[in-house]
Amino acid sequence: MQYRICARFLPFRWSLVRNLLIAASVTTAIAVPPAFATASSCFSSSAASSNSTSSACSKMGDQPAAAEGSSAAGQFAYQAGSSSVAFVTTPDRECAKKLARSIIERKLAACVNIVPQIDSIYMWEGKITEDSEYLMMIKTLTSRIDDLTKFVRENHPYSVAEVISLPIQNGNPPYLDWIAQTVPKKVKSQD
């Protein structure tokens, strides 16, 4: 089992993270969606097509919900950094899918994206190593990162599993609300 964070792959990872953060900041610059971009229409132009697409649009919480912190206009009050995205690499697709499914079943995250076949070049035990890996992008509550990390360490085939996380500063309010509604908050122990 090898340590899978790699020095030569860090520039790609950081540029990926940078691009994700830039995309998130650009998409959040629009506080109120335009009138044509309602959740029920999902950008469809006719009532007939909105019926067929509304179920697909609502699967990730795009329908306005009367949640705590929301207003009548569909605005959600998101606390910057209360959600995070974690990155985990795996040696193959089957491992990534099994780990992702287990993470979702245990409600440690709301969503896991699997990016196939990334090239990792890193220093391990004094040698430069190259491997093809799969990257998991895991969206969860920041308060659950420690639980997620513990679960990955206990179930990952690598002796030193990569688990790094970044706080989500801003994003699509309904999506961020969906994460908060899907992942249970960590219960503080009564010590």
Side-chain angles (χ1 to χ4, degrees):
M1 311 264 177
Q2 296 181 1
Y3 181 73
R4 294 299 181 176
I5 189 162
C6 55
R8 73 168 195 199
F9 193 60
L10 281 175
F12 172 76
R13 286 189 180 154
W14 284 115
S15 65
L16 172 67
V17 170
R18 184 195 68 217
N19 290 343
L20 289 170
L21 293 173
I22 290 170
S25 67
V26 169
T27 59
T28 58
I30 303 170
V32 179
F36 66 85
T38 61
S40 62
S41 70
C42 201
F43 297 104
S44 63
S45 59
S46 70
S49 64
S50 73
N51 290 337
S52 64
T53 60
S54 63
S55 63
C57 297
S58 65
K59 75 177 185 178
M60 297 281 275
D62 287 342
Q63 297 293 337
E68 183 178 321
S70 65
S71 69
Q75 296 291 326
F76 298 95
Y78 176 71
Q79 182 180 355
S82 62
S83 293
S84 288
V85 62
F87 298 97
V88 174
T89 54
T90 63
D92 55 48
R93 180 183 173 136
E94 292 73 31
C95 179
K97 288 180 82 170
K98 181 179 177 186
L99 198 55
R101 186 169 295 281
S102 295
I103 287 167
I104 297 299
E105 286 171 351
R106 285 166 179 74
K107 297 188 183 239
L108 293 172
C111 177
V112 179
N113 301 115
I114 299 172
V115 181
Q117 299 176 333
I118 59 171
D119 291 325
S120 297
I121 303 168
Y122 55 95
M123 186 67 68
W124 180 250
E125 297 177 345
K127 295 184 234 171
I128 295 175
T129 306
E130 293 187 32
D131 283 316
S132 180
E133 295 182 299
Y134 283 71
L135 176 65
M136 299 169 57
M137 298 187 317
I138 305 166
K139 278 73 75 179
T140 189
L141 295 178
T142 301
S143 64
R144 300 304 303 272
I145 291 292
D146 290 340
D147 296 332
L148 174 68
T149 302
K150 182 177 186 255
F151 179 80
V152 170
R153 276 196 324 257
E154 292 170 351
N155 294 282
H156 202 286
Y158 296 159
S159 60
V160 180
E162 172 187 0
V163 181
I164 57 173
S165 68
L166 297 167
I168 299 171
Q169 294 303 311
N170 211 338
N172 180 19
Y175 185 83
L176 297 173
D177 185 58
W178 171 74
I179 292 172
Q181 290 176 10
T182 304
V183 180
K185 291 181 174 45
K186 183 172 179 146
V187 179
K188 295 179 183 176
S189 61
Q190 302 279 335
D191 291 338

